[in-house]
């Protein structure tokens, strides 16, 4: 186990008792915490103004800009967390992979990875060789952000190995990821090596964010919904577990809850005194995928504390599939954000009600904020959630 630095927001007590962190640890809060995937970005006019003339990956690697973009939705909406502004291909770029994000299309790679020789070319860069300098822009952006957020937690962000591998094999976005799924079966050895390399790269990226000050981690598997449960368990889950192993060891200490007066009165004075040692907690981990309703248990089993649920699976059903013992995050349908308020608000309340079937619930979208969303609507949703009581 690796203890976080005493100055870390969790260790210093700034964020450890936040409703977000405690919800991720399975403690239901009176006020349901809320944040939105892709809350930092294209839906905000201040973001569009700031990004003029700056390419996406350049923005991600500019510490001051990445920090400001992360903070914008927290200031505007009053959400319970910032989500670090970055992109899942940033660690690939830092590893020397030639990739650019084309507006309107997404990540495009100069050389797709489709053969064992292509994988060997990637493996010439050993993720174990990454040092502090590799992720210096990321760590600085996190430090700048957490200094401003104070008691509001920052969530670290990284792409899951399958999604990274799918992009690498396809060479860019794909609707069915058929080349990646073919490679998985046609050359399972090369596939396993590609997944292991992707896991270590993205795991190191996530670890850098947490060590620098993020209070939780989210692994995002955009394309896992294209997989069968069997393929996920056999060919993907081991790599996702490997990615999370890079952060699973990170711990911090919190004071134990004080014993109740009644318990104190009934304590046998002759009994051996209890040493009031602090509790050691792991940094909470969230695992989210798109179209992954049939994979929820497998995604939890790779080492996550909380499972994100997309809009296709009702939260009460997701909680049932997870045995009613796993905190859930989600799952307002992003399409509802442009519906009349009475429709949207009824939908949000329905999600909140269904979320009561889990031990704890963090309200979010079932995917990202659409770029055309009116920011005022998101602010209004936050106010509704914070004011809602069962």
């Amino acid at each position: 186990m690796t203890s976080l630095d005493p100055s870390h927001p969790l260790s210093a007590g700034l964020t450890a008792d936040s409703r977000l962190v405690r919800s991720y640890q399975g403690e239901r809060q009176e006020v349901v915490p809320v944040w939105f995937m892709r809350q930092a970005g294209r839906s905000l006019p201040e973001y569009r103004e700031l990004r003029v003339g700056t390419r996406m990956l350049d923005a991600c690697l500019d510490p001051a800009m990445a920090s400001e973009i992360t903070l914008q939705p927290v200031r505007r909406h009053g959400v319970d967390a910032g989500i670090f502004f970055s992109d899942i291909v940033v660690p690939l770029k830092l590893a020397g992979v030639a990739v650019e994000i084309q507006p309107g299309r997404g990540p495009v790679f100069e050389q797709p990875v489709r053969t064992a020789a292509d994988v060997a070319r990637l493996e010439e860069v050993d993720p174990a060789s990454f040092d502090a300098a590799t992720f210096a822009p990321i760590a600085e952006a996190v430090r700048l952000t957490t200094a401003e957020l104070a008691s509001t937690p920052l969530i670290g962000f990284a792409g899951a190995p399958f999604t990274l591998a799918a992009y690498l094999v396809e060479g860019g976005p794909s609707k069915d990821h058929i080349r990646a799924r073919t490679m998985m079966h046609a050359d399972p050895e090369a596939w396993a090596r590609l997944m292991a390399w992707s896991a270590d790269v993205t795991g190191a990226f996530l670890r850098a964010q947490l060590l620098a000050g993020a209070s939780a981690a989210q692994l995002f598997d955009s394309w896992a919904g294209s997989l069968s449960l069997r393929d996920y368990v056999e060919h993907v889950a081991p790599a996702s577990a490997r990615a999370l192993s890079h952060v699973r060891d990170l711990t911090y200490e919190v004071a134990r809850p004080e014993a109740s007066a009644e318990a104190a009165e009934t304590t046998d004075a002759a009994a051996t005194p209890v040493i009031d040692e602090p509790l050691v907690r792991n940094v909470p981990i969230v695992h989210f995928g798109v179209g992954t309703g049939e994979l929820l248990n497998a995604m939890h089993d790779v080492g996550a504390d909380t499972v994100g649920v997309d809009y296709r699976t009702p939260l009460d059903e997701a909680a049932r599939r997870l045995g009613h013992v796993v905190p859930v995050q989600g799952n307002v349908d992003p399409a509802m954000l442009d519906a009349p308020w009475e429709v949207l608000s009824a939908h949000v309340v329905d999600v909140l009600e269904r979320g009561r079937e889990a031990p704890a619930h963090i309200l979010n979208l079932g995917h990202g904020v659409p770029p055309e969303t009116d920011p005022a609507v998101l602010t209004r949703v936050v106010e509704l959630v914070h004011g809602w009581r069962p």
Side-chain angles (χ1 to χ4, degrees):
M1 291 295 177
T2 302
S3 296
L4 295 173
D5 188 89
S7 64
H8 190 284
L10 285 171
S11 300
L14 286 172
T15 59
D17 285 331
S18 65
R19 60 174 70 117
L20 180 94
V21 170
R22 293 181 69 179
S23 294
Y24 281 154
Q25 293 167 340
E27 301 176 30
R28 179 164 288 278
Q29 303 297 293
E30 180 181 5
V31 176
V32 174
V34 53
W35 67 277
F36 304 107
M37 282 181 281
R38 293 184 186 162
Q39 64 187 19
R42 297 168 294 177
S43 67
L44 299 182
E46 55 265 43
Y47 166 84
R48 294 193 295 269
E49 181 179 350
L50 183 64
R51 273 284 314 280
V52 170
T54 304
R55 294 182 301 179
M56 176 65 176
L57 291 179
D58 291 338
C60 293
L61 294 172
D62 180 325
M65 183 174 289
S67 175
E68 171 60 21
I69 293 170
T70 302
L71 292 165
Q72 286 174 348
V74 181
R75 296 192 196 108
R76 178 185 274 266
H77 303 310
V79 286
D80 291 287
I83 177 71
F84 184 58
F85 175 76
S86 191
D87 191 273
I88 62 172
V89 301
V90 164
L92 299 180
K93 185 174 181 66
L94 293 175
V97 176
V99 56
E100 287 297 337
I101 297 179
Q102 296 183 359
R105 186 180 178 195
V108 176
F109 294 83
E110 187 175 294
Q111 292 181 283
V113 178
R114 295 174 181 168
T115 66
D118 293 333
V119 175
R121 173 170 46 84
L122 285 180
E123 291 174 322
E124 292 175 4
V125 175
D126 183 358
S129 69
F130 293 166
D131 56 18
T134 305
F135 295 114
I138 306 304
E140 178 62 15
V142 170
R143 284 192 288 267
L144 291 172
T145 305
T146 53
E148 291 289 330
L149 286 175
S151 61
T152 300
L154 176 68
I155 302 169
F157 164 87
F162 175 73
T163 290
L164 292 184
Y167 271 122
L168 285 164
V169 174
E170 302 290 343
S174 167
K175 291 182 178 180
D176 54 16
H177 322 292
I178 196 163
R179 287 191 179 96
R181 292 189 289 117
T182 296
M183 182 180 179
M184 179 188 299
H185 296 285
D187 192 346
E189 181 180 346
W191 174 259
R193 287 166 46 211
L194 173 59
M195 289 291 282
W197 185 87
S198 299
D200 289 340
V201 169
T202 203
F205 175 58
L206 192 56
R207 185 180 181 88
Q209 296 170 55
L210 294 181
L211 291 176
S215 293
Q218 175 158 295
L219 194 68
F220 192 113
D221 215 343
S222 308
W223 307 133
S226 67
L227 298 168
S228 68
L229 176 60
R230 179 176 179 176
D231 281 351
Y232 181 84
V233 170
E234 292 184 8
H235 299 285
V236 172
S240 292
R242 180 168 177 155
L244 291 182
S245 73
H246 285 261
V247 298
R248 187 75 266 181
D249 68 311
L250 299 178
T251 64
Y252 64 101
E253 295 183 349
V254 296
R256 290 182 181 274
E258 294 183 8
S260 67
E262 180 180 351
E265 291 174 2
T266 59
T267 299
D268 184 351
T272 303
V274 177
I275 299 174
D276 189 22
E277 294 182 346
L279 289 171
V280 177
R281 295 190 183 277
N282 293 90
V283 176
I285 295 172
V286 187
H287 197 188
F288 173 77
V290 180
T292 51
E294 300 302 317
L295 310 180
L296 295 178
N297 276 299
M299 293 178 68
H300 174 249
D301 289 346
V302 300
D305 302 297
T306 296
V307 175
V309 183
D310 85 345
Y311 58 89
R312 297 169 178 84
T313 306
L315 278 191
D316 51 350
E317 172 60 17
R320 185 193 67 77
R321 295 181 186 185
L322 291 163
H324 299 280
V325 295
V326 179
V328 295
Q329 178 175 279
N331 67 345
V332 171
D333 187 344
M336 292 287 193
L337 295 175
D338 199 33
W341 176 249
E342 60 271 20
V343 175
L344 172 58
S345 60
H347 174 57
V348 171
V349 169
D350 181 64
V351 171
L352 289 166
E353 291 285 357
R354 293 176 186 274
R356 295 173 64 190
E357 293 295 318
H361 174 212
I362 302 87
L363 190 120
N364 207 307
L365 301 180
H367 203 183
V369 176
E372 64 276 5
T373 300
D374 180 355
V377 171
L378 296 178
T379 304
R380 198 172 179 185
V381 169
V382 172
E383 293 169 349
L384 170 62
V385 175
H386 285 168
W388 178 82
R389 300 292 184 275

